[in-house]
Amino acid sequence: MVRHGRSLALSVAVNVAPSRLCAGKYSSDVQDMILSNAVADRVPIAVSGVRGMGFLMKYHIGTGGQLPAKLSSLLIKCLQNPSSDIRLVAEKMIWWANKDPLPSLDPQAIKPILKALLDNTKDKNTVVRAYSDQAIVNLLKMRQGEEVFQSVSKILDVASLEVLSECSRRSLKKLAGQADSTEQVDDTILT
């Protein structure tokens, strides 16, 4: 319970005051602790760790920086986790961190995350599939146009490109034409 409380507190702190915790002398300690929480053996601790990773991701995108390699690779591992709860939270955080006003990530940074999300579009869990589609739409900034989609398509391998084209035809274009959800990802404070 103590570990869970600490992981929740750190996740909320990174959400509320990222500029204080993610820059300067605390940045590496905060990132290491969040990544450690995300790989915890207890699902509630891991879920709050993945939420913290999403808040870190949004901070790095918002400051115009690149995602740290450790953060990106662990995010991909979370998308491939056997627990659908972990996969779902990872997809929600990618969706949330890449919402409209923020700039796009570099296509090379998008590519491995996109491949993991494309794998989840074939998941047996319907909710995981749906959030994977939502995350892809925001990751590729499809509501603003096809520019990021086209630049990432140029660097994908043939198999991933086929899956992306199939998803685009099946659901992504329809989702991109709709307004983005206003769902809140921080459920630590109930209103």
Side-chain angles (χ1 to χ4, degrees), residues 126-144:
T126 308
V127 180
V128 170
R129 281 196 314 263
Y131 268 101
S132 185
D133 288 345
Q134 292 278 6
I136 290 170
V137 167
N138 280 8
L139 185 66
L140 296 179
K141 303 290 183 192
M142 293 178 72
R143 287 186 176 90
Q144 284 90 29

Side-chain angles (χ1 to χ4, degrees), residues 89-120:
V89 171
E91 291 170 349
K92 280 184 179 182
M93 295 314 291
I94 291 169
W95 161 78
W96 179 80
N98 288 281
K99 281 185 128 236
D100 291 343
L102 294 174
S104 173
L105 286 169
D106 178 64
Q108 289 298 336
I110 291 174
K111 181 181 172 182
I113 297 170
L114 178 62
K115 287 177 129 185
L117 286 168
L118 287 171
D119 288 343
N120 285 354

Side-chain angles (χ1 to χ4, degrees), residues 36-161:
S36 167
N37 289 339
V39 295
D41 56 343
R42 303 279 185 250
V43 172
I45 297 170
V47 164
S48 63
V50 173
R51 284 184 192 281
M53 287 172 48
F55 298 138
L56 270 177
M57 181 181 195
K58 185 164 187 155
Y59 170 75
H60 286 295
I61 293 171
T63 58
Q66 290 292 37
L67 289 184
K70 284 168 47 175
L71 179 64
S72 181
S73 65
L74 192 55
L75 198 55
I76 293 163
K77 281 185 183 174
C78 290
L79 289 169
Q80 299 165 340
N81 194 295
S83 167
S84 59
D85 291 338
I86 305 290
R87 289 194 309 270
L88 184 61
V89 171
E91 291 170 349
K92 280 184 179 182
M93 295 314 291
I94 291 169
W95 161 78
W96 179 80
N98 288 281
K99 281 185 128 236
D100 291 343
L102 294 174
S104 173
L105 286 169
D106 178 64
Q108 289 298 336
I110 291 174
K111 181 181 172 182
I113 297 170
L114 178 62
K115 287 177 129 185
L117 286 168
L118 287 171
D119 288 343
N120 285 354
T121 61
K122 298 177 243 166
D123 197 272
K124 64 180 183 264
N125 186 322
T126 308
V127 180
V128 170
R129 281 196 314 263
Y131 268 101
S132 185
D133 288 345
Q134 292 278 6
I136 290 170
V137 167
N138 280 8
L139 185 66
L140 296 179
K141 303 290 183 192
M142 293 178 72
R143 287 186 176 90
Q144 284 90 29
E146 297 279 317
E147 183 181 318
V148 179
F149 182 91
Q150 295 301 329
S151 64
V152 172
S153 294
K154 292 176 185 171
I155 60 173
L156 282 177
D157 57 88
V158 176
S160 296
L161 187 58

